[in-house]
Structures are given as C-alpha cells and as structure tokens.
Amino acid sequence: LSIKGLSGTNINAKGVIKGLPDSKKVYADLVINKFQTSREDILAFLPKNALPANITLPESMAASGFVKGGMNNLHADLAINTSLGSARANGTLVNITDKNKAKYDMALSIRGLMLGTLIENPKLGSLTADFKVKGNGYNPETANATFDGIIANITLNNYNYRKLKAAGSIANKQFKVNADIHDPNIDVTMLASGTFNGKLPAIHLDATIDSIKTLPLHLTTQSIIYHGKIDGDFTNINPDSLAGNLSVTHSVLVNNGQRMTLDSLQVIADDTIGNQSLTLKADFLSASIKGQYKLTQLADVFQQAIDPYFSLTAVKNTQKVDFYHFTINAGVVDNPALRAFLPTLTQLKPINLSGNFASDSGWNVAITSPHIVYGTSDINELNLNAGTKNGTLVFNTSLKQFKSGS
C-alpha cells in the first residue's frame, strides 16, 4: 500500500488486514515502512470537537515498524517521531481486554516529549524516560507482574527533575515499590509495600528525605531546605475510614538560613464502628478530632457552620454532608521549634482549644490563652467562648490585659 495526498500524508506499508469491521476479529500482519502525516491532515478527517479542547496535536508525525496479531494476541514494534518528541513501543499483549487473563511484556521509550504543549499545561515540559512492564493480569487481586522505570528528566513547574527511578512487583495480592530520585535539589529514597484486600490496599511506607530545596524547585518564594525520615503503617487508606499511623522523625528545617530541629511528628488514625479519631502530636502542637465524621467533608462542615454568621466566600456552600457529631481539642506550648517559626515570640503559656460540632444541634468552641508576648504585644488571660444557640451566634469573651508598643 502506497498513498500520498493532502498536505503532508505519505503511507508506505505492506501486509494483510482481516476481520474488519469487527474489532474482536481483526487480525493484522503489517510492516509499516513509512507513515507520515500532519496535524492539518488529521484534523481534516476528524469530526468537529473530536479532540478535547486542551489537546494539541504535533505539527508533524511519522511512524515505522510492524504490527502482528489481533486483540487476543498482538506483537508490535513501533517507532514514532513527532515535532513534539519521539517514542518507541515494543512488546506483546495477550487477552489485553481481560483484566484477569491478560499477559503483557512491553517496553516503552520516550525521548524529549513536550508534555506541556501536548496537553496545554504551562507547568509541564519535556519528558525523557524508559519503562518496562511484564506480567499476568491487572486486577490487583490476581495480578502477578513486575515493572521498572527510569525518568532521565521531566520538567514540572519549570524545573527539570533528573534521575528518578522506580521498580516494583505484585503477586498474591502483595505489592512492593522502590523509588528514588537523586537530583541536586531533591534527594529522596522510598520503599512502599502492602496488601490488596478490598478496594484500597493496606500500606507500609519508609521514606528518607536527604534534602528538598524548595526555592529552586519553585515550590516556595523563600529559601526552605528540609531533611527527615517518614515511616507509615495504614491498614485502611480510605480518608473517610482512615486507620494507621505516620511518624516523621529526625526533621531539620532551614528557613531563610534559620535552622530548626523537630524531634518528631506523629499522626494516629483509628476507625471503629461508628467512631473515628485523628490525632496529631508534634513538639509544640497537639490536636485531635474524635467522633462521627468524614474527613473528606470536614472543610464543608466548618464552612457551613461559619457561613450563616461570617461569610468567607461570595458563594454559599450548599454541599451535602452526612450526619456528624465530633469533638476537637488542640494545644500549643512554648518550644524552640515554635520560636523558629515565630522569631519575635518571647513568652507563651499553654494555649488550649476545645470544641463540639453536631449536625443536629450546632457547635461551640472555647479558647484559653493565659499569657503571650509576641513582638511588642502583651496579652494576658484571654478567654473566648463562641457557639450557636437557637439559630444565633453567642459570644462570651474576657481579656485581663492587652498592651502594644513600647
């Protein structure tokens, strides 16, 4: 088959195609010597609005290689070159539409693919990577597979990340993933493992963050460098029934040249029938929420609780939320780590907050702050109680002394 036409289409291929138009019966044995076309020619054939509005086709495209087989057994080796990068795919796919019986052995190489231009996202840039995957099935309950990938470089948020590697396996519902990146501005090693039981897996995580430098990564406008270790064990990672714990240790944070050390940070989540809890413990902060709630709905719960009295946005929050009844408790104590965040803080006696929120009876919050000296401000014995009663907001506030200035 040899075809030339339109503005830039040139096809030279030989072989056979059988079984059309039934996709399940299609069989091809094709050698593609040349398949060249252009964005203009493709758009001329596509129905209007066939492509998503955020997709930009390359100006020019060319492919070569071979394809042999059908939906149940396909072997291919294809090289694709475009004005926005190139790729090569080589391997075998068997029963690929059956998540339990599928077999695959594929390799994919990508060179200089301009992701940001393709999907019209200015924060993305070029991608150069190699991936391999081999196994049986892609149902986590029955899959037996391995994969590995090397991303030589990928541009995210106008920064070119380099040397990202990942490898993993799954068998008998057990999975393991190793990943690391050794870039001048981010150096992280991670190991994750777990078990698939139900929709979401149980997971164990170990991560060592040698360094993250947020300014060159364009994550912050000020210079922040972080080092630490993360360990996590979760039997349920569904945020609305979260169960497990996460600890962050050996943390060192350098903010604009000021060094701060954190002994530990712990997050403990529990889910029992009808009740949940989430607790945060850090050097200078402790906080907890206990009762009946959905973590994914808490932002809506708090906004809807405040909106009738202090509108935070121009649009009223009408998002449907489920029944809830929970308590919150938090405390802040003086600590060198806190003073690193608040360098003009010179005195602080423990601050405590407690509250109760219920979908059928409203909410109340109490805050006590015995003594704070922050900069030139001196606050003594602040007590605040606020809550709803009969559809109105009730305040009860007392303050012994407030001084500001020299």
Side-chain angles (χ1 to χ4, degrees):
L1 175 65
S2 182
I3 298 175
K4 288 185 178 181
L6 299 174
S7 65
T9 298
N10 187 345
I11 301 174
N12 186 318
K14 62 180 180 180
V16 297
I17 300 177
K18 300 184 292 185
L20 290 172
D22 189 341
S23 61
K24 294 181 180 180
K25 296 181 180 179
V26 168
Y27 174 87
D29 188 353
L30 286 177
V31 175
I32 304 169
N33 297 313
K34 187 176 188 180
F35 185 103
Q36 181 177 314
T37 189
S38 66
R39 177 171 60 198
E40 181 182 350
D41 290 357
I42 291 177
L43 292 177
F45 275 97
L46 288 177
K48 188 177 180 180
N49 300 322
L51 284 177
N54 66 326
I55 297 297
T56 297
L57 291 176
E59 187 67 34
S60 61
M61 291 158 273
S64 61
F66 74 85
V67 177
K68 184 174 183 179
M71 293 296 291
N72 292 327
N73 193 339
L74 178 68
H75 181 47
D77 186 355
L78 293 172
I80 301 171
N81 293 283
T82 80
S83 56
L84 295 178
S86 62
R88 181 172 181 176
N90 179 20
T92 303
L93 301 172
V94 178
N95 297 322
I96 198 60
T97 58
D98 190 320
K99 66 179 182 179
N100 295 311
K101 297 181 180 180
K103 294 183 179 181
Y104 38 87
D105 186 355
M106 293 292 299
L108 175 65
S109 296
I110 299 170
R111 297 291 179 268
L113 183 63
M114 302 304 296
L115 285 173
T117 304
L118 280 170
I119 63 174
E120 298 183 8
N121 185 334
K123 292 188 176 183
L124 295 176
S126 173
L127 169 66
T128 295
D130 294 282
F131 303 100
K132 292 181 180 179
V133 60
K134 182 177 182 178
N136 303 323
Y138 45 88
N139 177 358
E141 298 286 326
T142 57
N144 187 330
T146 60
F147 81 91
D148 65 79
I150 299 175
I151 298 177
N153 69 271
I154 182 171
T155 301
L156 299 172
N157 200 26
N158 296 316
Y159 180 80
N160 188 30
Y161 291 81
R162 293 179 286 171
K163 299 180 182 179
L164 171 62
K165 298 179 181 180
S169 64
I170 182 171
N172 301 318
K173 302 182 182 182
Q174 307 286 321
F175 71 89
K176 292 182 179 180
V177 178
N178 294 281
D180 61 73
I181 181 170
H182 301 293
D183 180 275
N185 292 302
I186 177 169
D187 195 308
V188 177
T189 301
M190 183 192 76
L191 169 64
S193 60
T195 305
F196 279 97
N197 281 316
K199 292 182 179 181
L200 296 172
I203 187 169
H204 173 77
L205 173 69
D206 286 315
T208 300
I209 302 171
D210 186 73
S211 67
I212 294 179
K213 302 173 183 177
T214 62
L215 183 61
L217 298 177
H218 305 136
L219 299 176
T220 61
T221 56
Q222 72 272 19
S223 176
I224 297 176
I225 303 172
Y226 176 76
H227 165 93
K229 181 174 174 56
I230 301 172
D231 295 290
D233 272 299
F234 288 89
T235 57
N236 191 335
I237 60 172
N238 181 344
D240 288 332
S241 51
L242 193 65
N245 62 81
L246 180 77
S247 66
V248 182
T249 56
H250 307 298
S251 290
V252 178
L253 182 70
V254 181
N255 185 2
N256 283 328
Q258 186 167 3
R259 183 184 177 94
M260 178 186 72
T261 301
L262 284 173
D263 290 336
S264 67
L265 183 150
Q266 287 184 300
V267 178
I268 303 167
D270 187 38
D271 177 51
T272 56
I273 298 175
N275 283 284
Q276 293 174 266
S277 68
L278 184 64
T279 302
L280 171 67
K281 297 179 180 179
D283 293 4
F284 58 86
L285 172 69
S286 63
S288 67
I289 177 171
K290 298 180 180 180
Q292 294 173 274
Y293 61 89
K294 287 190 174 180
L295 194 59
T296 57
Q297 295 180 355
L298 282 182
D300 294 316
V301 167
F302 291 134
Q303 185 177 347
Q304 290 176 18
I306 297 171
D307 263 351
Y309 315 103
F310 299 101
S311 184
L312 301 176
T313 62
V315 180
K316 184 178 180 181
N317 186 320
T318 57
Q319 185 69 36
K320 186 181 185 310
V321 296
D322 297 324
F323 172 84
Y324 60 85
H325 189 178
F326 59 86
T327 60
I328 57 173
N329 289 277
V332 178
V333 297
D334 199 358
N335 184 275
L338 178 62
R339 297 200 180 197
F341 281 112
L342 304 172
T344 61
L345 179 69
T346 55
Q347 292 186 47
L348 174 70
K349 290 187 177 180
I351 299 173
N352 292 293
L353 177 148
S354 61
N356 183 78
F357 289 78
S359 55
D360 55 1
S361 59
W363 60 271
N364 62 79
V365 173
I367 300 173
T368 61
S369 177
H371 190 206
I372 302 174
V373 179
Y374 183 71
T376 60
S377 298
D378 189 333
I379 303 171
N380 271 297
E381 295 187 19
L382 170 65
N383 295 281
L384 170 66
N385 289 274
T388 56
K389 185 177 181 180
N390 299 324
T392 61
L393 182 63
V394 179
F395 275 99
N396 186 356
T397 306
S398 65
L399 175 64
K400 183 177 181 179
Q401 186 182 54
F402 173 78
K403 294 191 298 183
S404 182
S406 57

